[in-house]
Amino acid sequence: MKRKKLSLIALGGAALLALSACAGGDAGGGAAPEPEEKPTFEAGTTMAELAEAGSISIGTKFDQPLFGLVGPSGEPEGFDVEIGKIIAAKLGIAEDKIEWKETVSANREPFIQQGEVDIVIATYTINDKRKEVISFAGPYYMAGQSILTLADNKDIKSEKDLVGQPVCSVTGSTPAAKLAEIGATPVLTDTYSNCLEPLRTGQVVAVSTDNVILAGLAAQNEGEFKVVGKPFTEEPYGIGLAKDDTDFRNWINDVLEESYEDGSYEKAWNNTAGTVLEYVEPPAVDRY
């Protein structure tokens, strides 16, 4: 193991209660997949090293409702977390042998490059700039950038209304770059949850990132915020791993495709993000 190297729907009351149950730690994504018994891999591959070690380090978000959120259990829960468990199980690694490390948008590539984690699954948009320094498996989900405002805001209806306005996003994220591109004034912090107080106090007029993240923030703060407008980008979520580890990337892609076929992907979705968001068929993985 290269250890140190290495469509949005309305948020109704029932859905909010479901999210609360999930985030509260009782659901947590349901039962973890059973690990494969003694899987075999070609010697020298990352898969062989991880399977031999019997553990894996996965970077994920700790503050993203629906995808990666640390609840009362003290362990991260959400769709990204469940995808990580599926991958670990195919390596023969049990859930309790996964080391979860918090990754924020700005440190995802450094964590992979420095071997702090083996993979990153953290609402992580695949783009060409990132592919210069790391590799991606997937995509496994297609999100889109949208807008979160105060519930009583009637002025902001689309990205056109953000031009010249202060809008909160996260350092190192593709949504922050897009805000600058369309003429908004990005106000940057390290996590999206830290954008909420500036929005409440009027320091910013909106928060902008992927629709799935904003849906979770709105659901966590019932009645305070709303998601407005249609998504104005496509954000393919991928799994980050070490640059040019082609065997590992192809193997993860195989695991993703198997999960689409055997229903484990849809089950993971329904038990987490699916409590608030509609299920959509996963995109085809990129075999570059």
Side-chain angles (χ1 to χ4, degrees):
M1 176 176 61
K2 300 169 179 148
R3 297 302 270 180
K4 285 288 176 187
K5 182 176 173 274
L6 279 130
S7 49
L8 201 53
I9 58 173
L11 303 176
L16 292 169
L17 289 173
L19 175 64
S20 176
C22 174
D26 294 329
E34 288 294 322
E36 295 278 327
E37 293 224 7
K38 298 182 179 179
T40 57
F41 302 101
E42 184 178 345
T45 62
T46 300
M47 299 84 77
E49 294 170 356
L50 291 169
E52 176 66 23
S55 63
I56 186 171
S57 177
I58 302 177
T60 195
K61 297 287 184 70
F62 280 14
D63 71 332
Q64 304 287 267
L66 308 178
F67 275 71
L69 177 71
V70 173
S73 69
E75 294 293 322
E77 300 169 355
F79 184 58
D80 282 348
V81 173
E82 295 306 306
I83 294 294
K85 292 176 185 177
I86 289 171
I87 292 169
K90 291 294 185 179
L91 291 164
I93 297 171
E95 178 182 4
D96 62 358
K97 297 300 182 182
I98 301 173
E99 179 187 14
W100 299 104
K101 287 194 176 183
E102 182 178 17
T103 54
V104 298
S105 293
N107 68 16
R108 290 175 296 195
E109 288 97 86
F111 269 28
I112 295 168
Q113 291 174 290
Q114 296 161 14
E116 291 293 322
V117 295
D118 296 306
I119 56 176
V120 169
I121 314 174
T123 58
Y124 201 3
T125 298
I126 300 170
N127 63 36
D128 289 340
K129 183 177 180 181
R130 289 170 177 163
K131 285 163 69 173
E132 292 175 1
V133 294
I134 66 163
S135 290
F136 281 102
Y140 62 94
Y141 185 75
M142 187 68 73
Q145 187 168 349
S146 196
I147 303 162
L148 185 79
T149 67
L150 293 174
D152 60 358
N153 186 307
K154 298 179 181 178
D155 298 323
I156 296 176
K157 299 175 183 177
S158 76
E159 70 274 18
K160 296 177 182 178
D161 300 316
L162 301 180
V163 176
Q165 301 271 28
V167 181
C168 192
S169 197
V170 163
T171 302
S173 67
T174 51
K178 185 65 175 179
L179 288 173
E181 181 185 320
I182 66 174
T185 303
V187 176
L188 304 181
T189 183
D190 57 346
T191 64
Y192 291 109
S193 56
N194 285 340
C195 283
L196 298 184
E197 194 56 30
L199 181 56
R200 290 184 180 106
T201 60
Q203 294 173 264
V204 299
V205 299
V207 180
S208 186
T209 185
D210 302 345
N211 54 350
V212 296
I213 296 172
L214 299 180
L217 293 173
Q220 266 202 325
N221 299 272
E222 183 178 0
E224 279 196 85
F225 309 113
K226 63 182 178 181
V227 180
V228 300
K230 296 180 180 179
F232 51 94
T233 66
E234 287 189 342
E235 306 296 335
Y237 285 174
I239 296 168
L241 62 144
K243 176 73 172 171
D244 294 331
D245 192 344
T246 303
D247 288 340
F248 194 27
R249 176 171 53 80
N250 286 338
W251 178 82
I252 294 174
N253 279 336
D254 290 342
V255 170
L256 289 173
E257 290 181 334
E258 287 172 20
S259 76
Y260 305 161
E261 295 288 334
D262 65 22
S264 56
Y265 174 95
E266 186 169 1
K267 179 182 177 183
W269 176 268
N270 289 338
N271 287 336
T272 56
T275 59
V276 172
L277 298 167
E278 290 179 325
Y279 177 75
V280 293
E281 291 296 324
V285 299
D286 185 357
R287 296 284 182 175
Y288 69 91

